[in-house]
Amino acid sequence: GDISYAWEIINAYVPLMQEMLKQDPYIVIKLRSTFLKLASMMEIPLVRITQANSPDLVSVSNYYSGELVKFVRRVLEIIPISMFELLKELIHLQTNEIRELPTRLPKAELKDYAQLEERYRLARYTHQISKFTEGILAMETTLMGVVSVDPKQLLEDGIRKELVRQLASSLNQMLVFRSSRVDEFETACSS
């Protein structure tokens, strides 16, 4: 069936799709079929252009394919965001809650240093991060109109974008100066 009417209403479903992805990263395989169905939205405008023998067929195809790829990226951007949230929890756990093991440890204190609950959370966070990666990589390379979408590249781009956002946010919080003196800048950088 034709789904060309969905160009306007599909954006309302992005938060729902992202919430589903956050809860179950393997849902991306099912979303792939949705993305393929959305590719049919391009058929109607392209059929009309082909019937008119217009030389704009390639540029219009590229435009609609680009719009579809932007939509796919917007839906899937929740995966790197969720990964970084889990990484933040993982880092907090490793730096603040899990104690380092001494080189020598009396047998009686072994249970205290085991920290089973903390290590379980560490393993759970690590597993959740790997599930997000597996989920997006399970989506095969897909042709969205005239543009090929590689899930590995989508993941890399998303991680890069989220890393830049995280770094910019951290620098914005850390590098706040009360005055414009150079010594204050050097002090802030060294701390």
Side-chain angles (χ1 to χ4, degrees):
D2 179 26
I3 193 169
S4 60
Y5 61 87
W7 272 118
E8 295 300 319
I9 62 170
I10 194 66
N11 291 319
Y13 291 96
V14 171
L16 178 63
M17 291 178 187
Q18 288 181 336
E19 190 58 38
M20 289 171 55
L21 273 170
K22 213 172 179 180
Q23 293 174 6
D24 181 14
Y26 293 111
I27 202 84
V28 77
I29 296 168
K30 293 178 183 175
L31 283 177
R32 179 180 179 264
S33 62
T34 304
F35 298 148
L36 289 173
K37 184 67 174 172
L38 291 174
S40 74
M41 291 189 297
M42 296 185 290
E43 290 177 13
I44 298 298
L46 296 180
V47 166
R48 300 288 181 247
I49 291 173
T50 303
Q51 288 172 346
N53 291 325
S54 174
D56 296 330
L57 179 64
V58 174
S59 62
V60 172
S61 297
N62 285 331
Y63 171 77
Y64 280 113
S65 297
E67 290 297 310
L68 186 56
V69 170
K70 277 197 283 189
F71 174 77
V72 170
R73 286 181 187 273
R74 203 167 76 240
V75 169
L76 296 180
E77 76 182 359
I78 194 67
I79 290 177
I81 290 170
S82 299
M83 289 172 68
F84 273 84
E85 287 172 1
L86 289 168
L87 280 172
K88 193 180 295 183
E89 291 294 322
L90 201 132
I91 290 168
H92 172 76
L93 189 64
Q94 284 186 320
T95 56
N96 298 329
E97 295 184 33
I98 295 181
R99 295 182 293 181
E100 277 193 45
L101 290 172
T103 52
R104 290 197 170 265
L105 183 65
K107 193 174 186 179
E109 295 178 21
L110 186 60
K111 190 171 184 176
D112 295 335
Y113 278 95
Q115 295 179 291
L116 298 177
E117 179 61 34
E118 289 82 0
R119 294 192 187 280
Y120 170 74
R121 288 193 338 221
L122 181 75
R124 189 176 46 157
Y125 293 151
T126 305
H127 179 256
Q128 286 174 326
I129 291 170
S130 71
K131 277 181 25 182
F132 279 117
T133 304
E134 284 178 25
I136 199 165
L137 293 179
M139 187 176 110
E140 300 168 7
T141 299
T142 306
L143 191 63
M144 300 283 170
V146 294
V147 176
S148 181
V149 176
D150 180 21
K152 183 180 177 187
Q153 189 62 45
L154 278 178
L155 182 62
E156 285 178 15
D157 293 346
I159 289 173
R160 197 172 287 119
K161 179 181 175 183
E162 185 60 19
L163 182 61
V164 167
R165 193 182 72 73
Q166 292 282 335
L167 284 172
S169 174
S170 294
L171 289 174
N172 195 28
Q173 290 174 359
M174 302 283 288
L175 294 177
V176 177
F177 305 109
R178 310 262 183 263
S179 66
S180 59
R181 295 191 339 232
V182 174
D183 59 333
E184 183 181 330
F185 173 74
E186 290 173 348
T187 305
C189 287
S190 65
S191 60

